[in-house]
Amino acid sequence: MTFAFDADIVSAVLRHMNGDHLDDNLLIARAFAPEGQGEITDAVMTGFDGDGGLWSVTRDGAASELHVPWPGGPITERPAVRREVVALYDLACERLGVEPRPHA
């Protein structure tokens, strides 16, 4: 059964990702979305659970949902969310040939 995080945790992570990391959302979406369906022009993180993150991805003015599994496998603790989002960012940079910025 997929682990569900408390609404307060989800809300805080989404506020952070969509307030401070819009470019990272776009990078992750471009790296993990299926190819050949048009250029991704916008991506907003809309949720996550123990199995992965969820983004609303816009291509050619149409939104669709993108689920990306956590690279390290299922998670159940709040600190693991940051670890897995950072891992997705690093993998996205690798896939797209982008130099990743240092992590704090």
Side-chain angles (χ1 to χ4, degrees), residues 50-74:
D51 291 335
L54 189 63
W55 283 263
S56 175
V57 175
T58 303
R59 298 179 200 237
D60 299 325
S64 63
E65 191 172 86
L66 172 67
H67 180 266
V68 183
W70 300 129

Side-chain angles (χ1 to χ4, degrees), residues 29 48 81 85 103:
F48 64 91
V81 176
V85 170
H103 304 295

Side-chain angles (χ1 to χ4, degrees), residues 11-36:
S11 179
V13 170
L14 295 180
R15 187 172 41 255
H16 176 70
M17 287 299 295
N18 296 321
D20 297 337
H21 296 286
L22 286 175
D23 291 341
D24 296 350
N25 287 334
L26 193 55
L27 191 75
I28 290 167
R30 287 178 174 163
F32 293 98
E35 294 181 22

Side-chain angles (χ1 to χ4, degrees), residues 28 70-71 80-92 103:
I28 290 167
W70 300 129
V81 176
R82 181 184 190 283
R83 181 191 70 227
E84 294 301 317
V85 170
V86 168
L88 280 179
Y89 167 79
D90 287 339
L91 285 170
H103 304 295

